[in-house]
Amino acid sequence: GAVVSQHPSWVICKSGTSVKIECRSLDFQATTMFWYRQFPKQSLMLMATSNEGSKATYEQGVEKDKFLINHASLTLSTLTVTSAHPEDSSFYICSAKETGNWSPLHFGNGTRLTVT
Amino acid sequence: AQTVTQSQPEMSVQEAETVTLSCTYDTSENNYYLFWYKQPPSRQMILVIRQEAYKQQNATENRFSVNFQKAAKSFSLKISDSQLGDTAMYFCAFMNLDMRFGAGTRLTVKP
């Protein structure tokens, strides 16, 4: 089956620093990738939709200058949390969509970010 | 925008019994997919079952089945012969151009 690799699985950083999270589709091409954020005991909230070769589309309330998304190839999307603050601590999950309108999403295993 | 509502924050069921998790959604689209995902404590998202909106027949995957009522915009999940390993968070999801999730239902299977 299709595999999405997300790295790192957990990261601790100091307030004010930046953190990059990678999402790779290992055995398929993903024209579209999605980034979600999940706070403890809550649901997955869509942050942004990333299309290969174009700018990401951010959901209302998500700061695009803070959460930089790059989708430079059909197998890699990155999310960079810039100038991280403790309130950015959360679980971030990426998902990748295979080519085709009604293809399923495949999820990475998530990244737990802790900002101290 | 599409919204997904799961009105049961927590549910419990005895092992080997049947439980139904509720989900409703709101959309003006005619073509879409609906999903149920399971999220165990590892937080990995595991696809349980999916339903194409254009199909009237309810999807079934072994012990898991859905009751899809398109006119009512309802998509419930039935788990038969519940097992201890079914204990997890269950999220209902709607997909058109992107995927949106309900708030989740925490299911506990009791021995």
Side-chain angles (χ1 to χ4, degrees), chain A residues 70-92:
Chain A
N70 183 278
H71 192 164
S73 78
L74 286 171
T75 58
L76 174 64
S77 176
T78 60
L79 168 67
T80 302
V81 183
T82 63
S83 186
H85 289 281
E87 56 265 33
D88 297 327
S89 298
S90 187
F91 192 68
Y92 294 86

Side-chain angles (χ1 to χ4, degrees), chain A residues 32 34 36 38-44 46 49 59 91 93 97 101-109 112, chain B residues 31-33 35 37 39 41-45 47 50 89 91 95-104 106:
Chain A
T32 305
F34 303 94
Y36 293 87
Q38 185 179 30
F39 289 109
K41 298 186 179 181
Q42 293 189 23
S43 186
L44 284 75
L46 181 64
T49 300
E59 294 298 303
F91 192 68
I93 306 176
K97 184 174 179 294
N101 283 338
W102 302 112
S103 55
L105 294 189
H106 304 286
F107 285 85
N109 286 337
R112 180 177 300 282
Chain B
N31 294 321
Y32 49 87
Y33 274 77
F35 301 83
Y37 280 89
Q39 189 181 47
S42 67
R43 303 190 85 166
Q44 181 184 6
M45 295 295 285
L47 177 64
R50 76 175 187 177
M89 282 290 293
F91 292 103
M95 187 169 88
N96 181 245
L97 297 179
D98 55 39
M99 183 176 283
R100 309 277 172 157
F101 292 86
R106 181 173 301 279

Side-chain angles (χ1 to χ4, degrees), chain B:
Chain B
Q2 289 78 21
T3 58
V4 181
T5 302
Q6 291 179 251
S7 58
Q8 305 154 314
E10 295 186 8
M11 294 274 290
S12 64
V13 63
Q14 288 296 133
E15 192 176 8
E17 294 190 347
T18 297
V19 63
T20 298
L21 307 184
S22 301
C23 174
T24 59
Y25 59 94
D26 187 27
T27 185
S28 58
E29 301 290 337
N30 192 46
N31 294 321
Y32 49 87
Y33 274 77
L34 296 164
F35 301 83
W36 279 96
Y37 280 89
K38 171 184 177 181
Q39 189 181 47
S42 67
R43 303 190 85 166
Q44 181 184 6
M45 295 295 285
I46 300 169
L47 177 64
V48 175
I49 198 166
R50 76 175 187 177
Q51 174 81 42
E52 295 90 339
Y54 63 86
K55 289 187 178 180
Q56 291 186 335
Q57 186 173 5
N58 289 324
T60 300
E61 287 287 342
N62 301 314
R63 298 183 296 107
F64 300 89
S65 61
V66 298
N67 182 2
F68 173 48
Q69 301 292 325
K70 190 173 184 179
K73 296 180 181 173
S74 171
F75 182 62
S76 61
L77 173 70
K78 185 171 81 172
I79 306 174
S80 304
D81 186 24
S82 297
Q83 300 176 359
L84 296 178
D86 295 334
T87 293
M89 282 290 293
Y90 285 82
F91 292 103
C92 178
F94 174 102
M95 187 169 88
N96 181 245
L97 297 179
D98 55 39
M99 183 176 283
R100 309 277 172 157
F101 292 86
T105 297
R106 181 173 301 279
L107 176 67
T108 302
V109 180
K110 298 179 178 179

